[in-house]
Amino acid sequence: MFRFTTIKDYHNALLNGTTTCVDAVRFYTQSIKDQQHLNAFLEVFEEEALAQALALDNQRNGSIQGKLHGVVVALKDVICYKGHKVSAASRILDNFTSIYNATAVEKLLAEGAIIIGRNNCDEFAMGSSNENSAFGAVKNAADETKVPGGSSGGSAVAVQANMCMVSLGSDTGGSVRQPADFCGVVGLKPGYGRISRYGLIAYASSFDQIGIFGNNIEDVALTLEVIAGADEYDSTVSTDAVPEFSELLKTEDKKYRFCYFRQAFENASLDVEIRTQIEVFMKTLTDAEHSVEIVDFELLDFIVPVYYVLTTAEASSNLSRYDGVRFGYRNTANSADLSDMYTNTRSEAFGKEVKRRIMLGNFVLSAGYFDAYFTKAQQVRQLLINQTDQLFNNYDFIILPTSPTTAFSFGAHKDPVEMFLADIYTVYANLVGIPAISLPLFRHQNNMPFSLQLLASRDSEVSLLCVSQNLLHQKRDR
Amino acid sequence: MEVTDQLIDHLAKLSKLSFNAEEKQELKSDLQKMISFVEKLQELDTTGIEPLTHMGYSDNALRDDVVKGMVSREEAMLNAPVKDDQFFKVPKVINPQ
């Protein structure tokens, strides 16, 4: 039977002839069928994936062509794959077919990856529990009464429950790291501008970043290496040469300078056991002669408000394109004029959370409130960036929990603000544009996984991945 | 800051969204909570701080202006819900009634 550990091992097995790409695709499509009730996939491209696998098996002649040769990848339903449906888990994009590939997808395909299907998520990536999908919630495979986290819940579960090798999600305020935490897999959000956003359905453009879910750091590093880099269709991408992340991964014997925020660990919302286990872990870091220092971060209470002002403002603008004219759903039944048609279409086809955020976004952007809310939030964002730059003068990495609790039950957070606060530890990295990773190091006594979040300065993905590799190995060896 | 029915109606108009009476009540209470929550920002002194308006690496990414196509008309119209062979069709812009 097919068994997956790392892409490297898989490639070796292909070369040895002990497995084939077709075996891999068959294994995953069967696994998806067997676990359909988890609702992690909105669509599976089975026949096409099999045909691709067969073609790869036939062309392979004693050598592996393509860094992701035969690697089975799932895409969050916000990433465009030419000729395939993409819906942002919304009724408003019902029956929408991509007419081009996202740059990340183009790069995956060029290196021989096989796209197996599209993953369920919160509508327009807005949510922290995957309960906002127009196509039903996703279940956490570790405990099916619990949410998988959001918004990239389906992509996290796809890796967690062996339904693909790696998956792509998007992370605007934690949407990769938090579901990775809830599901016990690795989740990376690269720094802003590392991966092109072309073909990623926009939520909040100055925050959005494609992220990667995997079983281990090697696979995540290799995938990042493939999909990162300059793109003529996204001018916000770094034009620097892309480091060979997978080659640069080494278990180096280096002493790092870590810091952690007093206000984050003393926060009343943080689960006591999560706090204790991370503190014990930090002790092992100091025992290994790394330095770990506590620092004050007075702005912690402001980051979730800043995040919601700015992202809803950007969302209200980005989502104005869904008007029923050029694509997507249209209400044709009872619209007297054009303006009516817009309103009827949007009111019918957007879900509740999306409407709430559009309303809040239009509030903070509207005359009379713009300066007090929107401009104010932009100032606080600048303040956060200044403080972050200073921090990284003294430290290599920041340690944070990923989420204040382990995966919660369905329906646990009815209040929108309560749900917002679940993002307290993740939105910071998006506000300041730095890379951050969620490492599945812990298990709670309630038997759910949880992770350590590490943040590094902008452009420091290499050292972030190296230290992550070290910490995961250390944990395994102990 | 109190969220009134008038504010909800105004924002709904700006958002091109409509809500029935029940939805409006719920939204009013949700928005009230959300706005009170983000009002916390007023506690911070940000005098003299420039608002951050770009997250990119450089202010300008310049390129030569080259004429080239991106998608064909057929592709561009592929997803239109109501169309003929050349145009997106919409209801009357101004309703005579």
Side-chain angles (χ1 to χ4, degrees):
Chain A
M1 190 172 102
F2 181 82
R3 228 184 119 258
F4 178 76
T5 48
T6 65
I7 293 171
K8 200 175 171 190
D9 287 349
Y10 169 56
H11 281 172
N12 284 334
L14 289 174
L15 287 174
N16 297 338
T18 50
T19 195
T20 63
C21 298
V22 169
D23 285 345
V25 169
R26 287 225 170 95
F27 170 81
Y28 289 115
T29 51
Q30 189 58 47
S31 169
I32 294 168
K33 276 178 208 155
D34 293 344
Q35 302 181 88
Q36 219 160 21
H37 64 284
L38 297 176
N39 204 19
F41 279 80
L42 292 176
E43 193 180 352
V44 183
F45 311 133
E46 181 169 358
E47 275 179 35
E48 201 183 337
L50 272 175
Q52 251 176 296
L54 190 62
L56 288 168
D57 284 338
N58 287 338
Q59 72 170 231
R60 194 173 49 250
N61 207 348
S63 75
I64 298 282
Q65 306 289 328
K67 289 179 181 175
L68 297 178
H69 178 102
V71 172
V72 178
V73 183
L75 302 175
K76 182 180 183 180
D77 191 34
V78 290
I79 299 172
C80 293
Y81 179 20
K82 188 173 179 169
H84 297 78
K85 286 192 178 128
V86 61
S87 75
S90 178
R91 284 189 53 214
I92 211 155
L93 278 173
D94 218 13
N95 277 319
F96 179 88
T97 301
S98 296
I99 58 168
Y100 57 81
N101 280 329
T103 299
V105 172
E106 193 77 42
K107 292 182 175 205
L108 287 176
L109 295 172
E111 293 292 340
I114 298 171
I115 313 283
I116 193 143
R118 54 189 175 102
N119 292 130
N120 201 351
C121 57
D122 281 302
E123 184 178 3
F124 285 101
M126 296 178 185
S128 310
S129 67
N130 221 123
E131 290 167 290
N132 296 333
S133 166
F135 307 104
V138 177
K139 290 177 179 158
N140 191 319
D143 176 348
E144 294 178 14
T145 66
K146 300 283 195 289
V147 303
S151 65
S152 316
S155 305
V157 172
V159 170
Q160 174 196 32
N162 294 315
M163 297 189 265
C164 62
M165 296 176 187
V166 290
S167 64
L168 298 190
S170 65
D171 190 315
T172 305
S175 284
V176 165
R177 289 160 287 151
Q178 185 252 22
D181 173 82
F182 281 11
C183 295
V185 299
V186 175
L188 171 73
K189 181 202 88 76
Y192 186 77
R194 178 56 80 185
I195 300 170
S196 169
R197 288 176 293 111
Y198 180 70
L200 167 68
I201 294 177
Y203 158 18
S205 308
S206 77
F207 293 78
D208 294 343
Q209 189 60 206
I210 288 177
I212 304 162
F213 292 95
N215 295 293
N216 56 68
I217 302 296
E218 295 94 318
D219 293 354
V220 169
L222 183 63
T223 309
L224 178 64
E225 177 178 317
V226 168
I227 65 177
D231 180 13
E232 62 172 320
Y233 297 130
D234 179 359
S235 64
T236 61
V237 181
S238 164
T239 49
D240 294 347
V242 177
E244 295 211 321
F245 297 107
S246 61
E247 296 294 319
L248 294 165
L249 261 193
K250 49 191 182 293
T251 41
E252 49 186 9
D253 186 30
K254 204 173 153 188
K255 301 303 167 203
Y256 299 109
R257 298 166 301 166
F258 295 93
C259 73
Y260 65 104
F261 299 153
R262 181 190 312 281
Q263 285 76 3
F265 282 81
E266 288 176 359
N267 196 284
S269 71
L270 180 60
D271 177 275
V272 176
E273 194 185 327
I274 294 181
R275 176 179 171 168
T276 315
Q277 285 206 43
I278 294 182
E279 282 171 347
V280 169
F281 185 78
M282 292 196 289
K283 179 77 176 43
T284 67
L285 292 176
T286 48
D287 289 347
E289 288 171 19
H290 299 293
S291 77
V292 183
E293 286 174 23
I294 188 164
V295 295
D296 274 302
F297 188 67
E298 308 282 356
L299 291 174
L300 186 78
D301 283 344
F302 298 94
I303 59 175
V304 183
V306 180
Y307 173 80
Y308 278 95
V309 168
L310 296 176
T311 53
T312 57
E314 293 187 25
S316 68
S317 168
N318 272 327
L319 272 60
S320 63
R321 71 185 56 146
Y322 303 101
D323 57 6
V325 176
R326 290 147 302 151
F327 45 75
Y329 173 81
R330 177 190 296 192
N331 168 295
T332 46
N334 45 14
S335 302
D337 60 27
L338 182 63
S339 174
D340 245 23
M341 187 280 282
Y342 293 151
T343 305
N344 291 335
T345 295
R346 292 163 60 83
S347 304
E348 243 181 85
F350 279 141
K352 195 166 159 182
E353 181 64 21
V354 172
K355 288 181 194 171
R356 261 199 305 237
R357 293 197 194 186
I358 292 174
M359 291 284 279
L360 180 62
N362 274 323
F363 168 76
V364 302
L365 290 176
S366 62
Y369 305 109
F370 186 90
D371 287 338
Y373 293 88
F374 187 67
T375 308
K376 182 84 181 180
Q378 288 181 313
Q379 287 177 309
V380 181
R381 194 177 192 186
Q382 183 63 60
L383 206 58
L384 281 164
I385 287 184
N386 297 347
Q387 291 203 359
T388 306
D389 288 347
Q390 279 175 10
L391 267 178
F392 284 118
N393 285 334
N394 299 321
Y395 303 100
D396 302 312
F397 304 105
I398 301 169
I399 293 177
L400 278 173
T402 303
S403 174
T405 63
T406 55
F408 44 85
S409 301
F410 291 97
H413 296 307
K414 294 257 185 277
D415 181 296
V417 171
E418 226 181 85
M419 189 69 100
F420 288 179
L421 284 168
D423 303 339
I424 185 164
Y425 300 125
T426 47
V427 296
Y428 170 57
N430 304 77
L431 275 163
V432 299
I434 59 176
I437 195 164
S438 185
L439 301 173
L441 286 168
F442 309 110
R443 188 160 289 276
H444 197 276
Q445 60 184 2
N446 67 17
N447 220 16
M448 293 304 284
F450 67 95
S451 64
L452 183 80
Q453 188 189 188
L454 282 181
L455 301 84
S457 61
R458 200 141 172 198
D459 297 321
S460 297
E461 283 90 350
V462 171
S463 55
L464 183 64
L465 290 166
C466 285
V467 70
S468 298
Q469 176 86 326
N470 275 351
L471 297 187
L472 282 176
H473 279 183
Q474 247 174 54
K475 180 82 181 179
R476 201 183 308 155
D477 298 341
R478 237 176 325 146
Chain B
M1 161 91 219
E2 200 205 327
V3 177
T4 60
D5 289 337
Q6 287 85 338
L7 180 66
I8 296 285
D9 289 340
H10 175 61
L11 295 176
K13 202 173 150 208
L14 292 175
S15 307
K16 289 262 184 267
L17 290 171
S18 67
F19 300 96
N20 65 31
E22 195 187 322
E23 290 171 333
K24 220 179 260 186
Q25 270 317 307
E26 196 187 350
L27 193 61
K28 202 169 131 184
S29 120
D30 286 348
L31 269 188
Q32 184 68 63
K33 284 182 207 158
M34 289 156 90
I35 292 171
S36 309
F37 175 66
V38 299
E39 260 172 355
K40 180 155 183 71
L41 294 182
Q42 310 311 327
E43 294 169 18
L44 262 185
D45 182 11
T46 51
T47 322
I49 308 273
E50 273 298 301
L52 180 115
T53 54
H54 293 286
M55 280 301 284
Y57 279 80
S58 58
D59 291 340
N60 264 323
L62 299 173
R63 58 167 172 80
D64 290 330
D65 189 15
V66 182
V67 180
K68 54 180 177 182
M70 284 197 72
V71 294
S72 66
R73 180 195 280 161
E74 289 69 31
E75 284 177 310
M77 298 190 65
L78 179 75
N79 286 295
V82 184
K83 59 189 168 186
D84 61 17
D85 52 5
Q86 287 188 62
F87 297 103
F88 300 116
K89 291 174 77 173
V90 294
K92 280 194 183 310
V93 175
I94 298 167
N95 183 5
Q97 275 122 47

